[in-house]
Short mmCIF file of all heavy atoms in Angstrom, two decimals:
data_model
loop_
_atom_site.label_atom_id
_atom_site.label_comp_id
_atom_site.label_asym_id
_atom_site.label_seq_id
_atom_site.Cartn_x
_atom_site.Cartn_y
_atom_site.Cartn_z
N VAL W 19 9.39 -22.42 21.92
CA VAL W 19 8.65 -21.39 22.66
C VAL W 19 8.15 -21.98 23.96
O VAL W 19 7.52 -23.04 23.97
CB VAL W 19 7.47 -20.85 21.83
CG1 VAL W 19 6.67 -19.85 22.64
CG2 VAL W 19 7.99 -20.20 20.55
N PRO W 21 6.05 -21.86 27.83
CA PRO W 21 4.67 -21.47 28.17
C PRO W 21 4.49 -19.97 28.41
O PRO W 21 3.37 -19.46 28.31
CB PRO W 21 4.38 -22.27 29.45
CG PRO W 21 5.28 -23.44 29.38
CD PRO W 21 6.53 -22.94 28.70
N ALA W 24 7.97 -16.69 25.67
CA ALA W 24 9.30 -16.21 25.34
C ALA W 24 10.07 -17.28 24.56
O ALA W 24 9.92 -18.47 24.79
CB ALA W 24 10.06 -15.86 26.62
N GLY W 43 3.28 -50.35 25.34
CA GLY W 43 3.12 -49.23 26.26
C GLY W 43 4.02 -48.09 25.87
O GLY W 43 5.20 -48.29 25.54
N LEU W 49 12.09 -32.51 27.42
CA LEU W 49 13.25 -31.86 28.02
C LEU W 49 13.86 -30.86 27.04
O LEU W 49 13.74 -31.02 25.83
CB LEU W 49 14.31 -32.90 28.40
CG LEU W 49 13.99 -33.84 29.57
CD1 LEU W 49 14.97 -34.98 29.60
CD2 LEU W 49 14.01 -33.08 30.89
N PRO W 92 19.64 -48.71 41.08
CA PRO W 92 21.11 -48.60 41.11
C PRO W 92 21.65 -47.39 40.36
O PRO W 92 22.79 -46.98 40.59
CB PRO W 92 21.58 -49.90 40.43
CG PRO W 92 20.45 -50.86 40.63
CD PRO W 92 19.22 -50.02 40.54
N PHE W 93 20.85 -46.80 39.48
CA PHE W 93 21.30 -45.67 38.69
C PHE W 93 20.84 -44.38 39.38
O PHE W 93 19.64 -44.15 39.55
CB PHE W 93 20.76 -45.77 37.27
CG PHE W 93 21.08 -47.10 36.62
CD1 PHE W 93 20.11 -48.08 36.53
CD2 PHE W 93 22.36 -47.35 36.16
CE1 PHE W 93 20.41 -49.31 35.96
CE2 PHE W 93 22.66 -48.58 35.58
CZ PHE W 93 21.69 -49.56 35.48
N VAL W 105 6.22 -44.38 33.06
CA VAL W 105 4.93 -44.10 32.42
C VAL W 105 4.61 -45.16 31.37
O VAL W 105 3.47 -45.62 31.25
CB VAL W 105 4.94 -42.68 31.80
CG1 VAL W 105 3.70 -42.46 30.95
CG2 VAL W 105 5.02 -41.63 32.90
N LEU W 136 -0.50 -19.04 32.23
CA LEU W 136 -0.41 -17.95 31.25
C LEU W 136 0.88 -17.17 31.48
O LEU W 136 1.21 -16.80 32.60
CB LEU W 136 -1.61 -17.01 31.38
CG LEU W 136 -2.99 -17.64 31.11
CD1 LEU W 136 -4.07 -16.60 31.31
CD2 LEU W 136 -3.05 -18.22 29.70
N PHE W 146 -6.24 -10.30 29.81
CA PHE W 146 -7.63 -10.51 30.20
C PHE W 146 -8.34 -11.44 29.21
O PHE W 146 -9.13 -12.30 29.61
CB PHE W 146 -8.38 -9.17 30.28
CG PHE W 146 -7.84 -8.22 31.31
CD1 PHE W 146 -8.15 -6.86 31.24
CD2 PHE W 146 -7.02 -8.66 32.34
CE1 PHE W 146 -7.66 -5.98 32.18
CE2 PHE W 146 -6.52 -7.78 33.28
CZ PHE W 146 -6.84 -6.43 33.20
N LEU W 164 4.61 -14.91 37.63
CA LEU W 164 5.04 -13.69 38.31
C LEU W 164 6.47 -13.38 37.87
O LEU W 164 7.30 -14.27 37.76
CB LEU W 164 5.00 -13.90 39.82
CG LEU W 164 4.83 -12.67 40.70
CD1 LEU W 164 3.48 -12.04 40.48
CD2 LEU W 164 4.98 -13.07 42.16
N ASP W 188 2.51 -18.12 39.88
CA ASP W 188 3.68 -19.01 39.88
C ASP W 188 4.93 -18.14 39.87
O ASP W 188 5.14 -17.35 38.96
CB ASP W 188 3.64 -19.91 38.65
CG ASP W 188 4.81 -20.89 38.60
OD1 ASP W 188 5.58 -20.95 39.60
OD2 ASP W 188 4.97 -21.58 37.58
N SER W 196 13.27 -11.49 51.31
CA SER W 196 13.27 -10.03 51.39
C SER W 196 12.03 -9.42 50.74
O SER W 196 11.74 -8.24 50.93
CB SER W 196 14.52 -9.46 50.70
OG SER W 196 14.51 -9.75 49.31
N PHE W 207 -5.83 -10.27 47.40
CA PHE W 207 -6.41 -10.69 46.13
C PHE W 207 -7.01 -12.10 46.19
O PHE W 207 -7.46 -12.62 45.18
CB PHE W 207 -5.35 -10.62 45.03
CG PHE W 207 -4.72 -9.26 44.91
CD1 PHE W 207 -3.36 -9.09 45.05
CD2 PHE W 207 -5.51 -8.13 44.70
CE1 PHE W 207 -2.78 -7.83 44.95
CE2 PHE W 207 -4.94 -6.87 44.61
CZ PHE W 207 -3.57 -6.72 44.74
N MET W 226 8.68 -20.52 56.57
CA MET W 226 8.53 -19.21 57.23
C MET W 226 7.45 -18.38 56.54
O MET W 226 6.66 -17.71 57.21
CB MET W 226 9.88 -18.47 57.20
CG MET W 226 10.94 -19.11 58.06
SD MET W 226 12.57 -18.33 57.86
CE MET W 226 12.25 -16.70 58.53
N ASN W 230 3.10 -17.37 57.85
CA ASN W 230 2.57 -16.01 57.97
C ASN W 230 1.55 -15.65 56.89
O ASN W 230 1.15 -14.48 56.79
CB ASN W 230 3.73 -15.01 57.93
CG ASN W 230 4.62 -15.11 59.14
OD1 ASN W 230 4.20 -14.84 60.27
ND2 ASN W 230 5.86 -15.53 58.93
N LEU W 244 9.55 -38.77 47.41
CA LEU W 244 8.61 -38.95 48.52
C LEU W 244 9.20 -38.39 49.81
O LEU W 244 8.50 -37.72 50.59
CB LEU W 244 8.28 -40.43 48.69
CG LEU W 244 7.40 -40.81 49.88
CD1 LEU W 244 6.06 -40.11 49.81
CD2 LEU W 244 7.22 -42.33 49.94
N ARG W 246 11.33 -35.95 50.15
CA ARG W 246 11.29 -34.49 50.12
C ARG W 246 9.87 -33.97 50.37
O ARG W 246 9.68 -32.97 51.05
CB ARG W 246 11.81 -33.99 48.77
CG ARG W 246 11.72 -32.48 48.58
CD ARG W 246 12.47 -31.69 49.65
NE ARG W 246 13.90 -31.81 49.52
CZ ARG W 246 14.66 -31.00 48.79
NH1 ARG W 246 14.13 -30.02 48.10
NH2 ARG W 246 15.96 -31.17 48.77
#
Side-chain angles (χ1 to χ4, degrees):
V19 176
L49 290 167
F93 307 102
V105 171
L136 298 178
F146 297 162
L164 205 65
D188 181 7
S196 65
F207 305 122
M226 292 173 66
N230 293 295
L244 175 59
R246 175 58 71 89

